[in-house]
Amino acid sequence: MENSASHEPLTDGEFDRLEEFLASIGNPAVNIETLDGFFAALICGPDVVFPSEYLPTMWGKGVSFGSDAQAAELTDLLTRHWNTIRSELEGALREPNVYLPILLEQEDGVASANDWAHGFMRAVQMRPDGWSELIDNEVHGGTMVAIMMLHYEHDPDPQMRPPKISPEKREDVVKTMIAGLTHIYRYFDPLRRASASMALHASIGREGKKVGRNEPCPCGSGRKYKQCCLAKPWTLH
């Protein structure tokens, strides 16, 4: 039986506990907004990336937990937030829907969205070759423009910075970023499923394990294997 709790969105109190842990790491570049953007890119991207690879990339290899109970709680919080993002984006394949990212407001009440874009691009840089297919695409590459504008807004290299973003323009850029996320998820869906299939077959070959029909699909969709990749043909564009 699937654990329904693993699909429940985090409460405000649980977000606070996750933020406390991120703050304890001592890396000012990592906060709940950065994590949200990082997860969104991993979920949208062309390849399946496992926690053993992406978590050290996010907060470093020297992170330690105070206890096994803390490690278990944080793993649960991360998994549930991952599933929330994935569920919202997966739903957009079937009906009009968008994922509303976590954007922290500054003292003036403005959500700059820079940290979210930094997190997103950090995940992109883990698989630059795969993402370049979208970024360089003349038809679909525009879905990345808003994210890259926010990522490079304060870049040390003046040539990398976009034109100055006014408060009114920022609101439009953020809205475009949110809408583009759905298109990115849809664009990479065939590649992502193919990547999950290859990872699954490699795992079976190494360990002789088989995914049960009623077990969660290894592609990360959150649905049962029989209702997801087992029932769908694999196509690559």
PDB file of all heavy atoms in Angstrom, residues 3 5-10 18 35 39 43 51 54-55 59 71-87 220 222:
ATOM      1  N   ASN A   3       2.068   5.011   0.810  1.00  0.00           N
ATOM      2  CA  ASN A   3       1.952   5.871   1.970  1.00  0.00           C
ATOM      3  C   ASN A   3       1.407   7.216   1.525  1.00  0.00           C
ATOM      4  O   ASN A   3       2.121   8.022   0.929  1.00  0.00           O
ATOM      5  CB  ASN A   3       3.328   6.047   2.627  1.00  0.00           C
ATOM      6  CG  ASN A   3       3.255   6.885   3.872  1.00  0.00           C
ATOM      7  OD1 ASN A   3       2.173   7.317   4.282  1.00  0.00           O
ATOM      8  ND2 ASN A   3       4.405   7.126   4.471  1.00  0.00           N
ATOM      9  N   ALA A   5       0.733   9.750   3.235  1.00  0.00           N
ATOM     10  CA  ALA A   5       1.376  10.870   3.913  1.00  0.00           C
ATOM     11  C   ALA A   5       2.548  11.424   3.115  1.00  0.00           C
ATOM     12  O   ALA A   5       2.886  12.604   3.220  1.00  0.00           O
ATOM     13  CB  ALA A   5       1.839  10.444   5.304  1.00  0.00           C
ATOM     14  N   SER A   6       3.190  10.573   2.303  1.00  0.00           N
ATOM     15  CA  SER A   6       4.340  11.019   1.526  1.00  0.00           C
ATOM     16  C   SER A   6       3.944  11.970   0.408  1.00  0.00           C
ATOM     17  O   SER A   6       4.799  12.542  -0.259  1.00  0.00           O
ATOM     18  CB  SER A   6       5.082   9.817   0.944  1.00  0.00           C
ATOM     19  OG  SER A   6       4.285   9.161  -0.022  1.00  0.00           O
ATOM     20  N   HIS A   7       2.638  12.133   0.195  1.00  0.00           N
ATOM     21  CA  HIS A   7       2.161  13.022  -0.858  1.00  0.00           C
ATOM     22  C   HIS A   7       1.454  14.251  -0.287  1.00  0.00           C
ATOM     23  O   HIS A   7       0.907  15.050  -1.045  1.00  0.00           O
ATOM     24  CB  HIS A   7       1.215  12.269  -1.796  1.00  0.00           C
ATOM     25  CG  HIS A   7       1.891  11.185  -2.573  1.00  0.00           C
ATOM     26  ND1 HIS A   7       2.526  11.398  -3.769  1.00  0.00           N
ATOM     27  CD2 HIS A   7       2.075   9.866  -2.289  1.00  0.00           C
ATOM     28  CE1 HIS A   7       3.051  10.261  -4.220  1.00  0.00           C
ATOM     29  NE2 HIS A   7       2.793   9.330  -3.329  1.00  0.00           N
ATOM     30  N   GLU A   8       1.459  14.405   1.032  1.00  0.00           N
ATOM     31  CA  GLU A   8       0.818  15.566   1.640  1.00  0.00           C
ATOM     32  C   GLU A   8       1.766  16.763   1.600  1.00  0.00           C
ATOM     33  O   GLU A   8       2.931  16.652   1.985  1.00  0.00           O
ATOM     34  CB  GLU A   8       0.442  15.270   3.087  1.00  0.00           C
ATOM     35  CG  GLU A   8      -0.651  14.219   3.236  1.00  0.00           C
ATOM     36  CD  GLU A   8      -0.980  13.956   4.698  1.00  0.00           C
ATOM     37  OE1 GLU A   8      -0.370  14.617   5.564  1.00  0.00           O
ATOM     38  OE2 GLU A   8      -1.832  13.088   4.960  1.00  0.00           O
ATOM     39  N   PRO A   9       1.292  17.930   1.127  1.00  0.00           N
ATOM     40  CA  PRO A   9       2.146  19.126   1.134  1.00  0.00           C
ATOM     41  C   PRO A   9       2.603  19.454   2.545  1.00  0.00           C
ATOM     42  O   PRO A   9       1.929  19.142   3.533  1.00  0.00           O
ATOM     43  CB  PRO A   9       1.210  20.217   0.583  1.00  0.00           C
ATOM     44  CG  PRO A   9       0.155  19.480  -0.183  1.00  0.00           C
ATOM     45  CD  PRO A   9      -0.040  18.181   0.556  1.00  0.00           C
ATOM     46  N   LEU A  10       3.752  20.082   2.646  1.00  0.00           N
ATOM     47  CA  LEU A  10       4.282  20.448   3.954  1.00  0.00           C
ATOM     48  C   LEU A  10       3.436  21.553   4.582  1.00  0.00           C
ATOM     49  O   LEU A  10       2.935  22.437   3.892  1.00  0.00           O
ATOM     50  CB  LEU A  10       5.727  20.936   3.823  1.00  0.00           C
ATOM     51  CG  LEU A  10       6.759  19.956   3.262  1.00  0.00           C
ATOM     52  CD1 LEU A  10       8.156  20.553   3.384  1.00  0.00           C
ATOM     53  CD2 LEU A  10       6.692  18.608   3.938  1.00  0.00           C
ATOM     54  N   LEU A  18      12.316  22.674   8.124  1.00  0.00           N
ATOM     55  CA  LEU A  18      13.223  22.462   6.996  1.00  0.00           C
ATOM     56  C   LEU A  18      14.119  23.688   6.803  1.00  0.00           C
ATOM     57  O   LEU A  18      15.323  23.551   6.558  1.00  0.00           O
ATOM     58  CB  LEU A  18      12.421  22.186   5.723  1.00  0.00           C
ATOM     59  CG  LEU A  18      13.196  21.799   4.457  1.00  0.00           C
ATOM     60  CD1 LEU A  18      14.142  20.639   4.730  1.00  0.00           C
ATOM     61  CD2 LEU A  18      12.236  21.452   3.334  1.00  0.00           C
ATOM     62  N   LEU A  35      16.184  25.659  -2.630  1.00  0.00           N
ATOM     63  CA  LEU A  35      15.875  24.235  -2.671  1.00  0.00           C
ATOM     64  C   LEU A  35      14.685  23.960  -3.577  1.00  0.00           C
ATOM     65  O   LEU A  35      14.687  22.992  -4.351  1.00  0.00           O
ATOM     66  CB  LEU A  35      15.585  23.729  -1.255  1.00  0.00           C
ATOM     67  CG  LEU A  35      15.219  22.248  -1.135  1.00  0.00           C
ATOM     68  CD1 LEU A  35      16.432  21.372  -1.413  1.00  0.00           C
ATOM     69  CD2 LEU A  35      14.660  21.937   0.254  1.00  0.00           C
ATOM     70  N   PHE A  39      14.892  21.536  -6.800  1.00  0.00           N
ATOM     71  CA  PHE A  39      14.033  20.368  -6.979  1.00  0.00           C
ATOM     72  C   PHE A  39      13.216  20.487  -8.262  1.00  0.00           C
ATOM     73  O   PHE A  39      13.054  19.498  -8.994  1.00  0.00           O
ATOM     74  CB  PHE A  39      13.091  20.227  -5.783  1.00  0.00           C
ATOM     75  CG  PHE A  39      13.677  19.456  -4.631  1.00  0.00           C
ATOM     76  CD1 PHE A  39      15.023  19.127  -4.582  1.00  0.00           C
ATOM     77  CD2 PHE A  39      12.877  19.052  -3.565  1.00  0.00           C
ATOM     78  CE1 PHE A  39      15.565  18.421  -3.529  1.00  0.00           C
ATOM     79  CE2 PHE A  39      13.400  18.335  -2.505  1.00  0.00           C
ATOM     80  CZ  PHE A  39      14.744  18.019  -2.477  1.00  0.00           C
ATOM     81  N   ILE A  43      13.185  17.714 -11.271  1.00  0.00           N
ATOM     82  CA  ILE A  43      11.947  17.031 -11.625  1.00  0.00           C
ATOM     83  C   ILE A  43      11.593  17.274 -13.087  1.00  0.00           C
ATOM     84  O   ILE A  43      11.081  16.382 -13.774  1.00  0.00           O
ATOM     85  CB  ILE A  43      10.809  17.506 -10.696  1.00  0.00           C
ATOM     86  CG1 ILE A  43      11.061  16.990  -9.272  1.00  0.00           C
ATOM     87  CG2 ILE A  43       9.444  17.031 -11.193  1.00  0.00           C
ATOM     88  CD1 ILE A  43      10.200  17.649  -8.215  1.00  0.00           C
ATOM     89  N   PRO A  51      19.045  11.023  -5.288  1.00  0.00           N
ATOM     90  CA  PRO A  51      19.423  11.837  -4.123  1.00  0.00           C
ATOM     91  C   PRO A  51      20.893  11.728  -3.751  1.00  0.00           C
ATOM     92  O   PRO A  51      21.490  12.706  -3.300  1.00  0.00           O
ATOM     93  CB  PRO A  51      18.522  11.292  -3.012  1.00  0.00           C
ATOM     94  CG  PRO A  51      17.318  10.767  -3.728  1.00  0.00           C
ATOM     95  CD  PRO A  51      17.853  10.189  -5.017  1.00  0.00           C
ATOM     96  N   TYR A  54      22.393  14.403  -6.047  1.00  0.00           N
ATOM     97  CA  TYR A  54      21.985  15.814  -6.012  1.00  0.00           C
ATOM     98  C   TYR A  54      22.030  16.454  -4.626  1.00  0.00           C
ATOM     99  O   TYR A  54      22.241  17.666  -4.515  1.00  0.00           O
ATOM    100  CB  TYR A  54      20.619  16.017  -6.666  1.00  0.00           C
ATOM    101  CG  TYR A  54      19.406  15.438  -5.997  1.00  0.00           C
ATOM    102  CD1 TYR A  54      18.925  15.940  -4.790  1.00  0.00           C
ATOM    103  CD2 TYR A  54      18.669  14.421  -6.608  1.00  0.00           C
ATOM    104  CE1 TYR A  54      17.779  15.428  -4.194  1.00  0.00           C
ATOM    105  CE2 TYR A  54      17.514  13.904  -6.021  1.00  0.00           C
ATOM    106  CZ  TYR A  54      17.073  14.418  -4.825  1.00  0.00           C
ATOM    107  OH  TYR A  54      15.935  13.920  -4.241  1.00  0.00           O
ATOM    108  N   LEU A  55      21.865  15.677  -3.560  1.00  0.00           N
ATOM    109  CA  LEU A  55      21.888  16.302  -2.241  1.00  0.00           C
ATOM    110  C   LEU A  55      23.270  16.862  -1.880  1.00  0.00           C
ATOM    111  O   LEU A  55      23.374  17.999  -1.406  1.00  0.00           O
ATOM    112  CB  LEU A  55      21.395  15.325  -1.179  1.00  0.00           C
ATOM    113  CG  LEU A  55      19.883  15.037  -1.216  1.00  0.00           C
ATOM    114  CD1 LEU A  55      19.505  14.051  -0.122  1.00  0.00           C
ATOM    115  CD2 LEU A  55      19.077  16.323  -1.071  1.00  0.00           C
ATOM    116  N   TRP A  59      23.970  20.941  -0.830  1.00  0.00           N
ATOM    117  CA  TRP A  59      24.463  21.538   0.421  1.00  0.00           C
ATOM    118  C   TRP A  59      25.822  21.022   0.869  1.00  0.00           C
ATOM    119  O   TRP A  59      26.243  21.261   1.993  1.00  0.00           O
ATOM    120  CB  TRP A  59      23.449  21.372   1.534  1.00  0.00           C
ATOM    121  CG  TRP A  59      22.945  19.970   1.768  1.00  0.00           C
ATOM    122  CD1 TRP A  59      23.679  18.835   1.921  1.00  0.00           C
ATOM    123  CD2 TRP A  59      21.575  19.589   1.870  1.00  0.00           C
ATOM    124  NE1 TRP A  59      22.866  17.766   2.130  1.00  0.00           N
ATOM    125  CE2 TRP A  59      21.559  18.195   2.105  1.00  0.00           C
ATOM    126  CE3 TRP A  59      20.365  20.273   1.801  1.00  0.00           C
ATOM    127  CZ2 TRP A  59      20.375  17.478   2.255  1.00  0.00           C
ATOM    128  CZ3 TRP A  59      19.201  19.558   1.957  1.00  0.00           C
ATOM    129  CH2 TRP A  59      19.201  18.180   2.170  1.00  0.00           C
ATOM    130  N   ALA A  71      17.447  12.807  10.859  1.00  0.00           N
ATOM    131  CA  ALA A  71      17.684  12.411   9.471  1.00  0.00           C
ATOM    132  C   ALA A  71      16.413  11.862   8.846  1.00  0.00           C
ATOM    133  O   ALA A  71      16.083  12.179   7.693  1.00  0.00           O
ATOM    134  CB  ALA A  71      18.801  11.372   9.405  1.00  0.00           C
ATOM    135  N   ALA A  72      15.678  11.038   9.597  1.00  0.00           N
ATOM    136  CA  ALA A  72      14.442  10.453   9.080  1.00  0.00           C
ATOM    137  C   ALA A  72      13.389  11.531   8.838  1.00  0.00           C
ATOM    138  O   ALA A  72      12.680  11.514   7.828  1.00  0.00           O
ATOM    139  CB  ALA A  72      13.908   9.408  10.056  1.00  0.00           C
ATOM    140  N   GLU A  73      13.286  12.485   9.765  1.00  0.00           N
ATOM    141  CA  GLU A  73      12.293  13.553   9.610  1.00  0.00           C
ATOM    142  C   GLU A  73      12.609  14.414   8.394  1.00  0.00           C
ATOM    143  O   GLU A  73      11.724  14.725   7.592  1.00  0.00           O
ATOM    144  CB  GLU A  73      12.252  14.432  10.854  1.00  0.00           C
ATOM    145  CG  GLU A  73      11.230  15.576  10.717  1.00  0.00           C
ATOM    146  CD  GLU A  73      11.307  16.585  11.840  1.00  0.00           C
ATOM    147  OE1 GLU A  73      12.376  16.699  12.473  1.00  0.00           O
ATOM    148  OE2 GLU A  73      10.301  17.276  12.063  1.00  0.00           O
ATOM    149  N   LEU A  74      13.867  14.799   8.248  1.00  0.00           N
ATOM    150  CA  LEU A  74      14.240  15.657   7.125  1.00  0.00           C
ATOM    151  C   LEU A  74      14.087  14.934   5.798  1.00  0.00           C
ATOM    152  O   LEU A  74      13.673  15.530   4.804  1.00  0.00           O
ATOM    153  CB  LEU A  74      15.671  16.151   7.305  1.00  0.00           C
ATOM    154  CG  LEU A  74      15.851  17.175   8.422  1.00  0.00           C
ATOM    155  CD1 LEU A  74      17.309  17.404   8.727  1.00  0.00           C
ATOM    156  CD2 LEU A  74      15.172  18.491   8.056  1.00  0.00           C
ATOM    157  N   THR A  75      14.403  13.655   5.777  1.00  0.00           N
ATOM    158  CA  THR A  75      14.197  12.868   4.559  1.00  0.00           C
ATOM    159  C   THR A  75      12.731  12.853   4.173  1.00  0.00           C
ATOM    160  O   THR A  75      12.366  13.000   2.998  1.00  0.00           O
ATOM    161  CB  THR A  75      14.705  11.428   4.752  1.00  0.00           C
ATOM    162  OG1 THR A  75      16.109  11.451   5.018  1.00  0.00           O
ATOM    163  CG2 THR A  75      14.443  10.589   3.501  1.00  0.00           C
ATOM    164  N   ASP A  76      11.869  12.707   5.176  1.00  0.00           N
ATOM    165  CA  ASP A  76      10.427  12.714   4.931  1.00  0.00           C
ATOM    166  C   ASP A  76       9.975  14.076   4.405  1.00  0.00           C
ATOM    167  O   ASP A  76       9.191  14.151   3.443  1.00  0.00           O
ATOM    168  CB  ASP A  76       9.674  12.383   6.212  1.00  0.00           C
ATOM    169  CG  ASP A  76       8.165  12.504   6.035  1.00  0.00           C
ATOM    170  OD1 ASP A  76       7.601  11.682   5.281  1.00  0.00           O
ATOM    171  OD2 ASP A  76       7.562  13.410   6.628  1.00  0.00           O
ATOM    172  N   LEU A  77      10.469  15.157   5.002  1.00  0.00           N
ATOM    173  CA  LEU A  77      10.074  16.501   4.564  1.00  0.00           C
ATOM    174  C   LEU A  77      10.525  16.763   3.131  1.00  0.00           C
ATOM    175  O   LEU A  77       9.762  17.299   2.316  1.00  0.00           O
ATOM    176  CB  LEU A  77      10.664  17.557   5.503  1.00  0.00           C
ATOM    177  CG  LEU A  77      10.193  17.535   6.950  1.00  0.00           C
ATOM    178  CD1 LEU A  77      10.880  18.636   7.755  1.00  0.00           C
ATOM    179  CD2 LEU A  77       8.677  17.678   7.036  1.00  0.00           C
ATOM    180  N   LEU A  78      11.757  16.385   2.818  1.00  0.00           N
ATOM    181  CA  LEU A  78      12.273  16.585   1.462  1.00  0.00           C
ATOM    182  C   LEU A  78      11.485  15.765   0.447  1.00  0.00           C
ATOM    183  O   LEU A  78      11.150  16.250  -0.639  1.00  0.00           O
ATOM    184  CB  LEU A  78      13.756  16.210   1.409  1.00  0.00           C
ATOM    185  CG  LEU A  78      14.714  17.126   2.170  1.00  0.00           C
ATOM    186  CD1 LEU A  78      16.098  16.490   2.239  1.00  0.00           C
ATOM    187  CD2 LEU A  78      14.798  18.496   1.509  1.00  0.00           C
ATOM    188  N   THR A  79      11.196  14.516   0.809  1.00  0.00           N
ATOM    189  CA  THR A  79      10.452  13.640  -0.095  1.00  0.00           C
ATOM    190  C   THR A  79       9.059  14.187  -0.368  1.00  0.00           C
ATOM    191  O   THR A  79       8.579  14.193  -1.509  1.00  0.00           O
ATOM    192  CB  THR A  79      10.344  12.223   0.494  1.00  0.00           C
ATOM    193  OG1 THR A  79      11.657  11.686   0.682  1.00  0.00           O
ATOM    194  CG2 THR A  79       9.543  11.310  -0.429  1.00  0.00           C
ATOM    195  N   ARG A  80       8.401  14.655   0.679  1.00  0.00           N
ATOM    196  CA  ARG A  80       7.043  15.163   0.505  1.00  0.00           C
ATOM    197  C   ARG A  80       7.028  16.434  -0.329  1.00  0.00           C
ATOM    198  O   ARG A  80       6.142  16.626  -1.170  1.00  0.00           O
ATOM    199  CB  ARG A  80       6.399  15.398   1.867  1.00  0.00           C
ATOM    200  CG  ARG A  80       5.947  14.103   2.541  1.00  0.00           C
ATOM    201  CD  ARG A  80       5.563  14.333   3.975  1.00  0.00           C
ATOM    202  NE  ARG A  80       4.576  15.402   4.109  1.00  0.00           N
ATOM    203  CZ  ARG A  80       4.350  16.044   5.255  1.00  0.00           C
ATOM    204  NH1 ARG A  80       5.036  15.724   6.340  1.00  0.00           N
ATOM    205  NH2 ARG A  80       3.427  16.990   5.306  1.00  0.00           N
ATOM    206  N   HIS A  81       8.017  17.307  -0.127  1.00  0.00           N
ATOM    207  CA  HIS A  81       8.033  18.530  -0.940  1.00  0.00           C
ATOM    208  C   HIS A  81       8.355  18.186  -2.399  1.00  0.00           C
ATOM    209  O   HIS A  81       7.773  18.766  -3.321  1.00  0.00           O
ATOM    210  CB  HIS A  81       9.035  19.534  -0.388  1.00  0.00           C
ATOM    211  CG  HIS A  81       8.934  20.863  -1.059  1.00  0.00           C
ATOM    212  ND1 HIS A  81       7.743  21.555  -1.171  1.00  0.00           N
ATOM    213  CD2 HIS A  81       9.857  21.620  -1.714  1.00  0.00           C
ATOM    214  CE1 HIS A  81       7.940  22.680  -1.840  1.00  0.00           C
ATOM    215  NE2 HIS A  81       9.211  22.729  -2.180  1.00  0.00           N
ATOM    216  N   TRP A  82       9.276  17.261  -2.605  1.00  0.00           N
ATOM    217  CA  TRP A  82       9.572  16.783  -3.956  1.00  0.00           C
ATOM    218  C   TRP A  82       8.286  16.271  -4.610  1.00  0.00           C
ATOM    219  O   TRP A  82       7.969  16.616  -5.755  1.00  0.00           O
ATOM    220  CB  TRP A  82      10.628  15.687  -3.882  1.00  0.00           C
ATOM    221  CG  TRP A  82      10.946  15.008  -5.184  1.00  0.00           C
ATOM    222  CD1 TRP A  82      10.191  14.108  -5.862  1.00  0.00           C
ATOM    223  CD2 TRP A  82      12.136  15.196  -5.965  1.00  0.00           C
ATOM    224  NE1 TRP A  82      10.813  13.708  -7.016  1.00  0.00           N
ATOM    225  CE2 TRP A  82      12.008  14.347  -7.113  1.00  0.00           C
ATOM    226  CE3 TRP A  82      13.280  15.962  -5.816  1.00  0.00           C
ATOM    227  CZ2 TRP A  82      13.006  14.287  -8.089  1.00  0.00           C
ATOM    228  CZ3 TRP A  82      14.268  15.884  -6.793  1.00  0.00           C
ATOM    229  CH2 TRP A  82      14.130  15.056  -7.915  1.00  0.00           C
ATOM    230  N   ASN A  83       7.540  15.449  -3.898  1.00  0.00           N
ATOM    231  CA  ASN A  83       6.311  14.870  -4.443  1.00  0.00           C
ATOM    232  C   ASN A  83       5.252  15.933  -4.734  1.00  0.00           C
ATOM    233  O   ASN A  83       4.475  15.801  -5.685  1.00  0.00           O
ATOM    234  CB  ASN A  83       5.747  13.823  -3.486  1.00  0.00           C
ATOM    235  CG  ASN A  83       6.558  12.543  -3.477  1.00  0.00           C
ATOM    236  OD1 ASN A  83       7.291  12.259  -4.419  1.00  0.00           O
ATOM    237  ND2 ASN A  83       6.445  11.766  -2.412  1.00  0.00           N
ATOM    238  N   THR A  84       5.219  16.976  -3.924  1.00  0.00           N
ATOM    239  CA  THR A  84       4.272  18.063  -4.171  1.00  0.00           C
ATOM    240  C   THR A  84       4.577  18.757  -5.492  1.00  0.00           C
ATOM    241  O   THR A  84       3.685  19.004  -6.305  1.00  0.00           O
ATOM    242  CB  THR A  84       4.319  19.094  -3.024  1.00  0.00           C
ATOM    243  OG1 THR A  84       3.887  18.472  -1.814  1.00  0.00           O
ATOM    244  CG2 THR A  84       3.421  20.280  -3.324  1.00  0.00           C
ATOM    245  N   ILE A  85       5.842  19.080  -5.711  1.00  0.00           N
ATOM    246  CA  ILE A  85       6.240  19.732  -6.962  1.00  0.00           C
ATOM    247  C   ILE A  85       5.948  18.815  -8.148  1.00  0.00           C
ATOM    248  O   ILE A  85       5.348  19.221  -9.148  1.00  0.00           O
ATOM    249  CB  ILE A  85       7.738  20.091  -6.946  1.00  0.00           C
ATOM    250  CG1 ILE A  85       8.056  21.035  -5.791  1.00  0.00           C
ATOM    251  CG2 ILE A  85       8.151  20.721  -8.277  1.00  0.00           C
ATOM    252  CD1 ILE A  85       9.535  21.301  -5.605  1.00  0.00           C
ATOM    253  N   ARG A  86       6.368  17.559  -8.019  1.00  0.00           N
ATOM    254  CA  ARG A  86       6.181  16.603  -9.106  1.00  0.00           C
ATOM    255  C   ARG A  86       4.714  16.392  -9.426  1.00  0.00           C
ATOM    256  O   ARG A  86       4.309  16.344 -10.584  1.00  0.00           O
ATOM    257  CB  ARG A  86       6.864  15.290  -8.712  1.00  0.00           C
ATOM    258  CG  ARG A  86       6.929  14.220  -9.789  1.00  0.00           C
ATOM    259  CD  ARG A  86       5.749  13.291  -9.717  1.00  0.00           C
ATOM    260  NE  ARG A  86       5.470  12.935  -8.359  1.00  0.00           N
ATOM    261  CZ  ARG A  86       4.247  12.740  -7.894  1.00  0.00           C
ATOM    262  NH1 ARG A  86       3.207  12.884  -8.679  1.00  0.00           N
ATOM    263  NH2 ARG A  86       4.048  12.397  -6.632  1.00  0.00           N
ATOM    264  N   SER A  87       3.882  16.295  -8.396  1.00  0.00           N
ATOM    265  CA  SER A  87       2.459  16.066  -8.606  1.00  0.00           C
ATOM    266  C   SER A  87       1.801  17.229  -9.355  1.00  0.00           C
ATOM    267  O   SER A  87       0.990  17.025 -10.270  1.00  0.00           O
ATOM    268  CB  SER A  87       1.767  15.859  -7.261  1.00  0.00           C
ATOM    269  OG  SER A  87       0.383  15.666  -7.428  1.00  0.00           O
ATOM    270  N   GLY A 220       9.479   8.561 -11.035  1.00  0.00           N
ATOM    271  CA  GLY A 220       9.204   9.635 -10.094  1.00  0.00           C
ATOM    272  C   GLY A 220       7.870  10.309 -10.275  1.00  0.00           C
ATOM    273  O   GLY A 220       7.617  11.356  -9.683  1.00  0.00           O
ATOM    274  N   GLY A 222       5.073   9.376  -9.177  1.00  0.00           N
ATOM    275  CA  GLY A 222       4.226   9.210  -8.003  1.00  0.00           C
ATOM    276  C   GLY A 222       3.101   8.219  -8.208  1.00  0.00           C
ATOM    277  O   GLY A 222       2.398   7.870  -7.253  1.00  0.00           O
TER     278      GLY A 222
END
